[in-house]
Amino acid sequence: MAPVGAKNSLPEGKTSNSIVFIGNYLPRQCGLATFTTHLLEAVAQNTPDIDCWAVAINDIKEGYSYPPQVRFEINQEQLNDYGLAADLLNQNNVDIVCIQHEYGIFGGQRGSFIIELLSELKMPIITTLHTILEDPTEDERYIITQLAELSDRLVVMSERSVDFLRNIYQVAEEKIILIYHGIPDVPMLESATYKGKFDVSEKQVLLTFGLLSPGKGIETVIDALPEIVKAHPQVIYMVVGATHPHLKAEQGEDYRLGLHLRAKQLGVADHIIFHDHFVSDEELPEFIGAADIYISPYLNEAQIISGTLAYALGMGTAVVSTPYWHAQELLNEGRGRLFPFRDHLQLGREINDLLNHPDERRSMQLKAYQYGRKMVWSEVGLRYLETFAKAKQQRLRKSVPLQTPKTLELRQQVLPEIKLDHLRRMTDGTGILQHSRFTVPDRTHGYCVDDNARALIVAIKAQNLSPQDDSLNELATVYLSFLDHAFNNEIKRFRNFMSYERGWLEETGSEDSHGRAIWGLGIAVALGKNEGHVNLAADLFKRSLGAVEHFTSPRAIAFTIIGVHAYLNHYSEAGQAQEIGSMLSDKLLGWFRISASEDWPWCEATLNYDNARLPQALLLSGQRFSNNEMLETGLRALSWLSKIQTDETGDHFAAIGNDGWYPKDGKKAQFDQQPVEAAAMVDACIEAFNATRDELWLTNAYRCFNWYLGENDLRIPLYDHATGGCRDGLQAGGVNENQGAESTLSWLMTLLDIYNHRGFGRIMPEEEQSQGEVSKA
């Protein structure tokens, strides 16, 4: 995952008046890239004395062959690129920044990396929201709330979007600006003018265009064609557009080929023309102009903006659409017709009626064209310029970063790149080896389920941050295959240890290894991108879950609970998982009730390894099952753990050592400190933040994270930048120089979680805290 650095073609010291647009940009093939490009051009044409340029977001490492307007590129997965972009924009005194926001184009959890960039910018920010969800997750709501707080204005493109921001996200009315989706300004001509170009002069043309993917509903139109063709034999249905690049990368052309087969089976293949390429700006008006009727058959009501619909309507085409939100608004008052989702029979009736009544169709076209005059790009560009001017005159962002350079203490920490070299070095065709001698894999001790479960979590989470890296799919396959082979189906338990010669050393592994396997499988189900991986992980998960009911290890129970919650994020109605997750959570809470006291709020007489996984499990269950006692118990235990694992000065994390652990009424062992404990604390503190939104928990997560980087009792880093591995622990005489699987995987799990949650809160400088104290219940 070595990154391609951000590219900068801006001359240093440039200070002229400038407006910068951040988003996807042509020639990247997507609707957002087209929108950003046209918006920049429209603004530039209306104000030639202002320098308009772009920061492009790349979804592939090599980027694209951009035009000169793109002067900086961000690799969406590289967090540090966002900080570099912020520095560039501030140093060059840019006047206005206009962000094009869509959840899927920025890195981090639900695109949280963009918050990193915006929080550092000093100039007015105008953010265009291309997706606003009616029922957002907690993370999605938080992202929009942060965008609203950091922006001086939010631009939306529909009335429903205005309502959502006002009523669902509680955004102040004065911040919301409605500017319609831009369209090309072309004259309204008869379709015959363009039909000759596509050899359909004598045909009645139906059209759908845009990047091809299953949610577009092309199947509905194909299913309607037999009845349409029976009444109008001259009908041709043109499907224009390339397969969406991300879909093509995952599935090839399976979807398109399935449409071809469907058309053949229904006997209408001769009435469909597929134009399989990305449509250029010059071609698009011609395709739309050739259409007698444009069909927008989306399958999901929650489509708040459709650029293709805006283009078709604004250019005066008769439109028939499913009643998704944007269509309901644009096609109101006779500007188009609606039919129910997936109802091919009603679609056929609507199309036949319009083809039978050309005068009515012409009236619809005129209404649409007149309505679209306010949507042409020149008008949209002027509206944006007015918005920019108002934002400069009246800043509505409440807090703007300091004008003076930030010290290291006052800015977000620069994170190491995610480097998987040592992980790959430790992995062979069987799985990941347990140990290493220094940086060299040690074959003596073979493999174990514990480490392969952790490795599966790392591979799946890394794949989420870097979905274009096919090698991560291969790694996940190896680790999942190991878990599959490890499962003893006769007794429904995982074996744990395997020799290098691939012989199992036991028939039943430890409870902890079983719990870790379930945890890894739950993550694979929740976050996996490979359908085969998800299906196998779900099957193993279900077959292995029942054995945990009689476990007595608190950590095995906690690992399982964490895996169950991940699984339920994908299969929310899974009865067995819900039931067992609730039962195990009650069992864990019961142990705390029995053993915890005011000065020892813990469920055991000794603190040992992976301690923070227990409160993490309670916090997850407390949120999902709306159980305040679980939340309070988890927060109290984690706050105490944090306190006793912070050094006396409140300066850094000091893990409980494994040379004696920490018995009740005894002394905490200082060494050997293990990477697995820091990883558990980071995860648990992030979960405490999720539960409370108290940013002190994130500050504490970073304190634990920095233990790996040298902020520890010995002031020696455990992470090895050269190899990407992690040393095995802090000992009284220095660090253990071996870089085994558990240590390296603990580091990578921690780094990935920090990356995923970057942007979900401001990391507070130490002076704003009270001697390392963190939020309590």
Side-chain angles (χ1 to χ4, degrees):
M1 287 177 59
V4 172
K7 302 173 188 176
N8 173 19
S9 60
L10 184 72
E12 290 188 12
K14 186 175 178 63
T15 59
S16 63
N17 293 340
S18 55
I19 299 171
V20 174
F21 297 83
I22 301 178
N24 298 353
Y25 208 88
L26 293 175
R28 180 172 173 179
Q29 295 184 2
C30 70
L32 193 67
T34 303
F35 183 95
T36 308
T37 305
H38 290 165
L39 177 59
L40 184 153
E41 293 169 348
V43 170
Q45 288 169 7
N46 277 293
T47 178
D49 57 327
I50 292 180
D51 185 25
C52 295
W53 53 279
V55 172
I57 309 297
N58 289 332
D59 62 338
I60 54 176
K61 291 181 179 180
E62 59 270 25
Y64 298 89
S65 299
Y66 291 115
Q69 288 87 345
V70 174
R71 300 181 190 169
F72 194 85
E73 298 175 40
I74 293 174
N75 181 333
Q76 69 178 48
E77 302 154 10
Q78 296 302 321
L79 175 61
N80 295 335
D81 283 5
Y82 294 82
L84 291 173
D87 289 342
L88 175 76
L89 297 172
N90 286 331
Q91 290 166 9
N92 285 276
N93 297 320
V94 168
D95 290 291
I96 293 286
V97 167
C98 184
I99 305 280
Q100 304 306 307
H101 180 265
E102 180 69 84
Y103 285 110
I105 73 165
F106 301 110
Q109 188 159 307
R110 296 306 282 140
S112 62
F113 287 1
I114 190 60
I115 304 301
E116 179 101 350
L117 192 161
L118 297 190
S119 63
E120 296 289 333
L121 295 180
K122 301 170 186 175
M123 70 291 296
I125 300 168
I126 288 77
T127 298
T128 304
L129 299 175
H130 290 258
T131 294
I132 307 171
L133 301 171
E134 183 180 31
D135 186 23
T137 65
E138 190 68 26
D139 287 346
E140 290 161 348
R141 182 188 297 275
Y142 187 81
I143 291 291
I144 296 296
T145 302
Q146 287 294 293
L147 289 172
E149 184 176 315
L150 294 169
S151 302
D152 292 273
R153 301 293 190 279
L154 294 177
V155 175
V156 295
M157 291 176 269
S158 68
E159 295 284 358
R160 191 180 292 263
S161 299
V162 173
D163 292 339
F164 280 8
L165 284 184
R166 205 166 39 208
N167 300 322
I168 298 173
Y169 298 90
Q170 281 76 54
V171 177
E173 185 87 36
E174 60 182 349
K175 273 199 173 186
I176 306 172
I177 306 294
L178 174 61
I179 304 177
Y180 293 107
H181 194 295
I183 61 170
D185 189 2
V186 296
M188 184 178 175
L189 301 174
E190 292 293 337
S191 60
T193 307
Y194 299 100
K195 286 182 178 180
K197 181 177 176 62
F198 305 108
D199 295 325
V200 290
S201 297
E202 304 301 320
K203 305 294 185 181
Q204 293 171 302
V205 177
L206 313 178
L207 171 71
T208 299
F209 77 88
L211 292 174
L212 205 60
S213 63
K216 298 295 176 66
I218 306 299
E219 301 92 331
T220 307
V221 186
I222 294 175
D223 290 348
L225 277 179
E227 289 302 313
I228 296 172
V229 169
K230 186 185 299 183
H232 299 90
Q234 296 304 308
V235 157
I236 286 290
Y237 178 40
M238 293 201 301
V239 182
V240 178
T243 302
H244 196 290
H246 292 172
L247 178 68
K248 190 171 182 177
E250 293 175 6
Q251 301 178 15
E253 291 290 5
D254 287 354
Y255 177 64
R256 183 182 295 274
L257 293 173
L259 295 177
H260 289 187
L261 180 60
R262 194 184 197 107
K264 287 181 181 178
Q265 290 172 339
L266 292 172
V268 293
D270 291 341
H271 294 269
I272 302 180
I273 300 173
F274 285 90
H275 289 271
D276 180 12
H277 67 276
F278 187 74
V279 182
S280 69
D281 291 346
E282 295 74 24
E283 291 177 299
L284 184 56
E286 295 174 340
F287 275 114
I288 296 175
D292 295 290
I293 299 173
Y294 180 77
I295 306 174
S296 184
Y298 286 166
L299 302 179
N300 184 6
E301 182 186 36
Q303 179 83 24
I304 205 157
I305 293 298
S306 169
T308 58
L309 176 66
Y311 274 46
L313 175 129
M315 292 173 63
T317 308
V319 177
V320 178
S321 172
T322 50
Y324 56 88
W325 292 333
H326 200 205
Q328 291 177 35
E329 190 171 315
L330 285 191
L331 303 185
N332 194 20
E333 298 179 349
R335 293 186 291 269
R337 289 190 181 183
L338 302 175
F339 70 96
F341 295 104
R342 303 178 188 272
D343 189 342
H344 68 278
L345 296 176
Q346 184 59 31
L347 170 61
R349 286 190 284 268
E350 296 290 353
I351 296 296
N352 283 333
D353 187 61
L354 285 174
L355 292 177
N356 288 334
H357 299 91
D359 290 343
E360 186 173 341
R361 190 169 77 243
R362 181 65 177 175
S363 173
M364 181 188 296
Q365 291 175 272
L366 289 170
K367 289 177 182 178
Y369 187 79
Q370 291 163 3
Y371 183 83
R373 293 309 83 207
K374 58 187 174 184
M375 299 163 60
V376 297
W377 277 116
S378 58
E379 292 296 320
V380 169
L382 282 173
R383 290 279 286 118
Y384 269 90
L385 280 171
E386 292 169 5
T387 303
F388 297 161
K390 289 177 182 177
K392 288 192 71 173
Q393 292 165 5
Q394 183 187 16
R395 298 294 304 271
L396 295 181
R397 179 177 175 180
K398 292 181 180 178
S399 61
V400 178
L402 299 172
Q403 297 298 313
T404 54
K406 289 193 171 187
T407 65
L408 289 175
E409 233 177 11
L410 288 173
R411 67 180 303 146
Q412 290 276 42
Q413 178 177 334
V414 175
L415 299 179
E417 294 173 358
I418 298 167
K419 187 173 183 178
L420 302 182
D421 295 24
H422 192 59
L423 175 70
R424 299 182 200 279
R425 190 178 301 118
M426 293 286 291
T427 301
D428 61 20
T430 301
I432 187 168
L433 289 157
Q434 289 189 73
H435 298 293
S436 72
R437 289 173 54 79
F438 299 96
T439 61
V440 179
D442 182 359
R443 301 177 181 182
T444 306
H445 302 284
Y447 316 85
C448 68
V449 158
D450 286 311
D451 290 333
N452 278 275
R454 293 186 183 105
L456 179 61
I457 293 171
V458 166
I460 294 294
K461 288 189 173 183
Q463 196 173 26
N464 266 260
L465 275 179
S466 185
Q468 307 306 313
D469 187 346
D470 291 337
S471 68
L472 293 169
N473 189 63
E474 297 305 314
L475 285 174
T477 299
V478 170
Y479 306 136
L480 186 55
S481 177
F482 187 93
L483 295 184
D484 183 40
H485 186 49
F487 188 65
N488 187 334
N489 200 46
E490 292 181 6
I491 60 174
K492 308 301 181 187
R493 287 287 300 273
F494 288 96
R495 307 170 182 91
N496 192 15
F497 296 110
M498 174 190 273
S499 71
Y500 185 71
E501 292 75 25
R502 295 191 178 186
W504 288 109
L505 304 179
E506 58 193 357
E507 285 305 307
T508 305
S510 66
E511 290 186 1
D512 281 11
S513 65
H514 192 97
R516 283 197 183 93
I518 290 176
W519 176 11
L521 294 170
I523 294 295
V525 170
L527 302 179
K529 302 296 185 186
N530 181 306
E531 186 178 356
H533 289 172
V534 172
N535 290 339
L536 175 57
D539 175 65
L540 273 175
F541 182 95
K542 287 183 284 189
R543 285 190 284 142
S544 62
L545 187 58
V548 188
E549 290 188 53
H550 305 293
F551 281 8
T552 58
S553 162
R555 280 155 192 77
I557 297 293
F559 301 152
T560 302
I561 291 171
I562 296 168
V564 164
H565 287 296
Y567 182 88
L568 289 174
N569 286 339
H570 187 79
Y571 294 116
S572 58
E573 302 302 319
Q576 182 202 22
Q578 188 99 359
E579 183 180 333
I580 291 180
S582 178
M583 180 271 292
L584 295 177
S585 302
D586 288 338
K587 179 184 284 191
L588 184 59
L589 179 62
W591 288 333
F592 272 91
R593 285 178 185 150
I594 292 169
S595 302
S597 62
E598 188 66 30
D599 61 340
W600 189 265
W602 199 247
C603 65
E604 303 167 297
T606 300
L607 286 168
N608 40 64
Y609 63 95
D610 244 355
N611 296 296
R613 297 299 176 191
L614 278 62
Q616 180 188 354
L618 288 175
L619 291 171
L620 284 164
S621 294
Q623 293 170 85
R624 182 175 296 275
F625 303 130
S626 300
N627 188 314
N628 285 333
E629 185 183 0
M630 286 181 187
L631 280 173
E632 291 167 4
T633 302
L635 288 169
R636 188 183 307 113
L638 185 59
S639 182
W640 176 70
L641 263 184
S642 178
K643 183 176 181 180
I644 64 176
Q645 293 192 107
T646 300
D647 80 307
E648 293 178 356
T649 68
D651 175 63
H652 60 264
F653 176 67
I656 293 167
N658 68 4
D659 187 13
W661 303 116
Y662 186 9
K664 186 177 182 181
D665 300 324
K667 184 180 179 181
K668 170 191 165 188
Q670 184 177 9
F671 299 108
D672 295 350
Q673 296 181 31
Q674 302 294 305
V676 69
E677 187 61 24
M681 282 295 297
V682 169
D683 266 6
C685 288
I686 288 173
E687 197 53 51
F689 168 73
N690 291 340
T692 65
R693 291 295 161 179
D694 184 340
E695 292 178 354
L696 283 171
W697 285 114
L698 288 184
T699 301
N700 201 52
Y702 270 74
R703 184 186 292 114
C704 301
F705 169 74
N706 286 327
W707 177 86
Y708 292 98
L709 302 178
E711 293 186 17
N712 52 51
D713 285 348
L714 300 183
R715 299 296 176 183
I716 300 174
L718 285 91
Y719 171 57
D720 185 343
H721 289 266
T723 67
C726 180
R727 299 172 178 94
D728 276 353
L730 284 184
Q731 302 171 324
V735 294
N736 183 333
E737 292 291 348
N738 296 327
Q739 296 181 14
E742 178 180 283
S743 303
T744 295
L745 291 167
S746 294
W747 156 253
L748 289 171
M749 289 169 71
T750 301
L751 183 61
L752 286 163
D753 285 335
I754 290 288
Y755 261 87
N756 266 322
H757 285 82
R758 196 62 173 261
F760 280 88
R762 186 171 67 91
I763 308 307
M764 300 179 69
E766 296 291 329
E767 63 268 21
E768 295 185 30
Q769 304 165 52
S770 55
Q771 297 300 313
E773 288 291 319
V774 296
S775 169
K776 297 180 174 60

